[in-house]
Amino acid sequence: MAPELLNLLLVRGDRVGRIVEVEAYGGERDPASHAFRGPTPRAAIMFGEVGRLYVYRSYGVHWCANVVAHGDEGAGAVLIRAVEPVAGLAAMWPARPAARREVDLASGPGKLCAALGISADDLGADLLGPASTVRLLDDGMAPPNEPTVGPRVGISVATEVPWRFSVPGSPHRSRPW
DNA sequence: ATAGAGATTGCCT
DNA sequence: GGCAATCTCTATA
């Protein structure tokens, strides 16, 4: 379902971004996944109710946002890797002091959390709940028929698994393919 | 208790 | 292109 998230809107307060790049992580059989070692305290949410927000700290510096997604059993999550700023840009600029161009505002998993203001406060938010701090919205733009597919980024194991998806040609993606 | 690694970013050369 | 920043989790003792 990771590519199905492409072109959906990620909303926090008055800041809105359109998802242009995602990366899927599996359960206990995916050595690159936080769920690989079972439902540990951090990873337990990946084994729970789908459609919730999983936020974790990356390199002690950044927050990363995931959508919990899996079948009837098992575990998994989809990392949001990049969004295109759609609304609330005025609040995004001061949250991203290093960004000088609009395309750099949210073109990475840590960047988009900073731009939208997503942090541990939002951990576990029901992304489809109308009252949640962080929400996923469908404004009618369908996901791309043929998303760009490639290997996952920043991991040292199972790098051959082609579970990175993006909107073809979007200038807001995190890294060149 | 403690050590090592990490789904990244931005500044430096 | 190299590398530091800095927190959390997990494994080992």
Side-chain angles (χ1 to χ4, degrees), chain A residues 62-157:
Chain A
H62 314 287
W63 298 107
C64 291
N66 302 253
V67 180
V68 174
H70 55 77
D72 289 343
E73 310 220 354
V78 181
L79 172 67
I80 311 297
R81 284 198 57 89
V83 305
E84 171 188 346
V86 168
L89 287 274
M92 293 185 189
W93 283 113
R96 290 274 304 124
R100 311 181 57 159
R101 304 176 305 165
E102 186 258 333
V103 292
D104 297 322
L105 230 31
S107 57
K111 297 177 187 177
L112 88 258
C113 283
L116 294 180
I118 294 173
S119 73
D121 292 344
D122 306 301
L123 178 63
D126 176 4
L127 292 167
L128 302 182
S132 302
T133 58
V134 180
R135 287 177 296 148
L136 226 34
L137 254 44
D138 183 351
D139 70 342
M141 184 179 292
N145 290 321
E146 297 184 19
T148 304
V149 182
R152 297 183 287 187
V153 173
I155 57 174
S156 55
V157 290

Side-chain angles (χ1 to χ4, degrees), chain A residues 8-105:
Chain A
L8 289 181
L9 298 176
L10 187 64
V11 181
R12 187 178 194 282
D14 63 349
R15 300 182 231 179
V16 182
R18 189 178 301 283
I19 297 172
V20 297
E21 184 177 334
V22 298
E23 210 162 71
Y25 286 87
E28 296 181 275
R29 291 203 305 285
D30 179 0
S33 173
H34 290 167
F36 181 57
R37 301 181 188 279
T40 58
R42 178 177 66 166
I45 187 170
M46 291 178 68
F47 291 77
E49 189 181 346
V50 299
R52 322 234 28 148
L53 184 69
Y54 167 38
V55 178
Y56 70 91
R57 184 78 95 162
S58 173
Y59 289 90
V61 185
H62 314 287
W63 298 107
C64 291
N66 302 253
V67 180
V68 174
H70 55 77
D72 289 343
E73 310 220 354
V78 181
L79 172 67
I80 311 297
R81 284 198 57 89
V83 305
E84 171 188 346
V86 168
L89 287 274
M92 293 185 189
W93 283 113
R96 290 274 304 124
R100 311 181 57 159
R101 304 176 305 165
E102 186 258 333
V103 292
D104 297 322
L105 230 31

